[in-house]
Each structure stands twice: as C-alpha cells, then as structure tokens.
Amino acid sequence: MLLTMTTTHRPATDLGHLLHKHPDRAQSFTTSSGVAHVFYPKATDEECTVALLLEVDPVALVRGPGSTLTQYVNDRPYAAGSLLTVALGSVFRTAMNGRSDRYPELARTAIPLVVRVPAVPHRLAQRLFAPLGWDVAITGHGESRYGDVTLTGTLKVSDALRHLYVLLPVLDGGKHYWVAADEVDKLLKAGDGWLAAHPDKELITTRYLARKRPLVVSALERLADVDEVEPEELDNALAEPKISLAAQRKDAVIGVLKDVRAKRVLDLGCGGGALLRALVQEPEFTEICGVDVSAKALQEAARKLRLDRVPDGVRERITLRQSALTYADAALAGYDAAVLMEVVEHVDPSRLPALEHSVFVVAKPRTVLVTTPNVEYNPLFDTLPEGQPRHSDHRFEWTRAEFAQWAGGVAARRGYEVRYLPIGPEDAERGAPTQMAVFTSKDVN
C-alpha cells in the first residue's frame, strides 16, 4: 500500500527536515505491520514528494499474534487502513508530534500539501476530510468500494499526518488488531486540536474504536470535556436506537392495518415469519395468512410461530401457504389487507407487472401496504459500501420518485388511491430509510 505527500513550499526539500527523512536516501523500517520504505520520487526546490510504501506479508499477518483475520486472501495488505497508519505513526512519529529542532518555525507553519492514497475505501472521504480544510478528489475503481483519493490543502505537516493517522482506519471501518483501552489515548492524542470540533466526531470515534461501546463512551466523555459539550447532548450522541428499523417497519405496518380496521390479513412474501409473529400478538387480526414461494421459509415460519405448541385458538388464526406472488392464486382473494414488506425489491423488474396483476387484480384486497428501501438514504449507513444494495438479493432499490412513479401507475391502473409514509429517522434531503405506499381500493364504501 502506498501514500504520498507533496509540497511546493520553497525550498520544497525542507519537507525532509520536517519528516526527519533525508530526500537523498531511500530508507526501510521494520514495523509491526510490515516493512515500510520511505523514498522521494521527486525532490527539488520547487516541488518535493515523499512516498511511504508498506509491504505486508499476508501469511504472517494472518498468523500474527492478536490478528483478527481468518484467511490468507484478504484486502489488508493492499488497502490503506490501520496497517498503514501503524507504519505512519512508527516512521513519522517525531513529525506527527510537530517537533523539528532545526526548523521549529516551519513545523508550526501551514504549507501547501497534496496527499494521495491510491487505494482506500473512499465513501466517507469527503465527509471526514473536508471539514478539516482539505479539498477532496476521488477517482473510483469501477464498482469497487476502493478509490484513489487526493487531498489538497494548506496545513501543518503534523496536522496532516495526524488527520491521516486517525481517519484512514475510520474510512476502512476495521482494524487488523485487537482494540484495547490504550486506543482511546492514541485517538485523543492524534485528534488533539481538531477532533472535538469535527462535526462527525461521534462517527469517527465509533469507527476508530471498532464500535466498542465502553471505549467510545470514554473517548466521547473526554472529548466533551475539551469541547464543553452539555452532558445531555453527549447522552443523545451515545444513545443506541431504542427501536431497530426492522421493528419500526413492523410497528408502522401494524399501525396502518389497525387504522383501516383490517381483520383478515395477507402477509405476502412472509419469509421466516417476522411480521407474522407480530401480527399474531394482535387479537384484532382474526385471520392471518402467510404466503411465500419457499417451502423452507414456511417451515422456518412455522417453527418460529411454534404452531405445534400454541393454543388451538391461536393456531386457527394462522395459515401458511406456498405460492408465488407473480402467479394468480384465487385462494388469496377476499382478504381485508395485504402486506408486501420488503418484498418488491426481490422481484425481477420484468416480473413486476405479473405481481401487480396477482395482488391488485386477483387477490384485490381493500388495502395493500408495500414497503421498500429508499436508496437515497443508503449513503447515511456508515457500514454500507457505496453503490452496494442493502441486501445481495435485491434486484433494484428505488428512489422516492421511482417508487411513487411505480405505485402511482399501479393505483391508476387498478382502481386504487395511494398515499406515502416514511419509516425510520428522516433526513432533510434524503428522506427516511424505508418508504411505504398505502393503497386503498376506490370500491370501498
């Protein structure tokens, strides 16, 4: 893996003094993460570039003490992340601390810098580096989560190194070693003077500390002291979501079903029965039918519902039926409501007209509820690689406009009215993570 830093501050070769590495010599250092080579591809008074090249043995990495890796073939030796920052901190430790006995004034001076990292997970690069004064340019590598990131700014060399030390593993979202309490001290030392004021300090802290809640709490408490954050604001930042998005979806669906006074409910594409288990807890739903094309999924639903052990009164309310949603099934007609919760995105687009016919023409319930991911919200999930759907089986994911276009067309063709409800925390620009369409038949008196 490679990282370069360039300056045009004249004489540019003074960069060697700041880094304590002479431009005329290539040097190699054995670090805990591999062999680090420092050399200068260009060194003139007008422009000077230093390169840090880290060579990692993948086999030794997997076998090493404290390694969290379980396979020899992985991206750790090639993608910039915690391995590179270990080398960065080892090779340039004095520079990172801002010390230069020969040029103390220059060490305290912001100079023009260009940092390039050719292979790094780049989805959060703009969000994390821009508030620190960097202009961020990204060249993607096809559909890969990795990209070529170039940072341009006027900063102290020590600040630039500390930004990289903290944020490269944050971009990567993982570490190659066990994260212990001393990582909090490392984070706060490298983040001194900038992390407390960063608008995404909670995100940075959480990802840097591998989502270990006690360490995150400790770090944010200490940052709060620096930043004089009110205690209640800190509590809000640390609070776990009280209800998961999956639970919010089920609650929203059940709320609408109750509002429309549905008694007999179809769960179309019921899978392992997550919604069925919630529906059966509500006595007003007197007849519940779970439908799925997969016999294995229906067996799992029956097991989780404990149909072999529940009282007869409960068992009589539930029916499981194997059927494909893209084929007409007259047995599904006559229900008050049908729910397709996170189902349509699993259907090939060419088969959506068939699904429309089977649900809205053949089954034709009074109310139809359809929930599906809002793809516009995806960039706000910090663990979801850019451009990747939320599930590997999703055939597509719609924007809010695309969902409204499809749902509006169905409603117009099939004699329904439709309204839209957001599910989950709403972002001002991107909307909510889940979108729901509520179709109501115009034939209802």
Side-chain angles (χ1 to χ4, degrees):
M1 61 190 73
L2 177 68
L3 180 150
T4 65
M5 177 183 289
T6 300
T7 187
T8 53
H9 179 81
R10 300 186 65 174
T13 50
D14 281 351
L15 180 64
H17 293 292
L18 296 179
L19 297 174
H20 301 268
K21 301 293 180 287
H22 200 288
D24 292 340
R25 287 193 297 134
Q27 298 174 267
S28 297
F29 305 86
T30 300
T31 73
S32 61
S33 55
V35 179
H37 306 280
V38 179
F39 56 96
Y40 288 76
K42 186 173 185 177
T44 67
D45 284 351
E46 292 75 27
E47 183 176 322
C48 185
T49 298
V50 64
L52 173 64
L53 176 66
L54 179 64
E55 291 185 302
V56 178
D57 181 348
V59 176
L61 179 63
V62 172
R63 293 177 176 174
S67 174
T68 60
L69 301 176
T70 58
Q71 55 187 10
Y72 295 151
V73 179
N74 56 74
D75 65 347
R76 298 300 81 189
Y78 314 107
S82 60
L83 287 166
L84 183 59
T85 58
V86 167
L88 193 75
S90 176
V91 173
F92 297 131
R93 183 170 306 280
T94 303
M96 194 178 296
N97 291 331
R99 201 182 84 219
S100 175
D101 295 336
R102 187 170 181 181
Y103 292 95
E105 188 61 33
L106 182 59
R108 294 191 293 267
T109 301
I111 63 175
L113 296 172
V114 177
V115 174
R116 183 185 173 202
V117 189
V120 63
H122 62 80
R123 186 169 63 88
L124 296 172
Q126 179 72 34
R127 178 175 170 182
L128 297 182
F129 281 99
L132 300 174
W134 294 101
D135 289 328
V136 183
I138 301 170
T139 302
H141 298 319
E143 296 182 358
S144 169
R145 66 189 286 253
Y146 306 103
D148 187 330
V149 173
T150 300
L151 309 172
T152 305
T154 302
L155 297 93
K156 293 188 293 184
V157 168
S158 59
D159 286 344
L161 292 172
R162 292 188 296 121
H163 295 168
L164 293 165
Y165 182 84
V166 171
L167 296 181
L168 287 179
V170 171
L171 287 176
D172 187 43
K175 290 197 172 182
H176 70 287
Y177 56 83
W178 182 255
V179 175
D182 62 341
E183 290 295 294
V184 175
D185 293 329
K186 294 179 186 177
L187 171 64
L188 297 182
K189 182 177 181 181
D192 184 39
W194 63 270
L195 180 55
H198 197 291
D200 275 312
K201 61 178 177 290
E202 290 88 4
L203 172 66
I204 294 169
T205 302
T206 300
R207 288 172 70 93
Y208 185 89
L209 297 173
R211 299 174 176 81
K212 293 184 179 294
R213 182 169 174 78
L215 301 184
V216 175
V217 170
S218 173
L220 287 176
E221 285 178 343
R222 291 166 64 180
L223 282 173
D225 291 338
V226 172
D227 203 31
E228 298 182 351
V229 175
E230 293 297 325
E232 58 269 22
E233 292 183 32
L234 178 64
D235 291 341
N236 291 339
L238 293 173
E240 297 286 345
K242 293 182 179 179
I243 306 177
S244 69
L245 181 57
Q248 290 181 65
R249 268 196 300 268
K250 286 183 285 188
D251 288 348
V253 165
I254 289 174
V256 173
L257 291 174
K258 289 182 177 181
D259 288 344
V260 300
R261 301 179 185 274
K263 302 294 183 183
R264 305 175 68 239
V265 179
L266 287 169
D267 181 5
L268 301 178
C270 66
L275 179 60
L276 293 175
R277 297 197 300 277
L279 291 171
V280 79
Q281 300 299 318
E282 307 292 340
E284 54 260 70
F285 304 129
T286 57
E287 187 175 343
I288 303 164
C289 180
V291 180
D292 205 280
V293 70
S294 168
K296 183 177 180 181
L298 294 174
Q299 291 171 359
E300 180 68 7
R303 185 185 68 81
K304 291 182 176 179
L305 287 163
R306 301 182 178 182
L307 293 184
D308 58 339
R309 284 176 278 176
V310 296
D312 291 343
V314 175
R315 176 67 183 85
E316 291 168 359
R317 292 167 57 208
I318 303 172
T319 303
L320 299 179
R321 181 177 179 80
Q322 186 175 11
S323 184
L325 301 186
T326 53
Y327 292 94
D329 187 346
L332 302 182
Y335 283 81
D336 297 331
V339 179
L340 291 88
M341 189 172 77
E342 308 299 282
V343 170
V344 293
E345 64 273 9
H346 294 273
V347 178
D348 287 325
S350 63
R351 300 296 292 159
L352 288 177
L355 180 145
E356 176 185 332
H357 178 78
S358 65
V359 174
F360 292 90
V361 177
V362 178
K364 199 171 176 59
R366 187 175 70 234
T367 302
V368 179
L369 278 61
V370 178
T371 78
T372 192
N374 167 22
V375 71
E376 297 170 75
Y377 195 90
N378 284 3
L380 300 182
F381 291 110
D382 61 17
T383 58
L384 184 66
E386 185 176 7
Q388 182 173 310
R390 297 187 201 176
H391 191 281
S392 59
D393 189 51
H394 285 183
R395 303 301 196 263
F396 59 85
E397 289 180 354
W398 278 323
T399 65
R400 287 168 291 173
E402 289 168 336
F403 183 44
Q405 182 180 19
W406 175 80
V410 170
R413 289 187 293 271
R414 305 306 178 187
Y416 282 78
E417 295 177 343
V418 63
R419 58 191 174 96
Y420 306 95
L421 298 174
I423 300 176
E426 285 193 82
D427 179 77
E429 296 181 359
R430 299 180 179 275
T434 297
Q435 46 191 340
M436 177 163 63
V438 181
F439 297 85
T440 305
S441 174
K442 293 181 180 178
D443 295 338
V444 177
N445 294 325

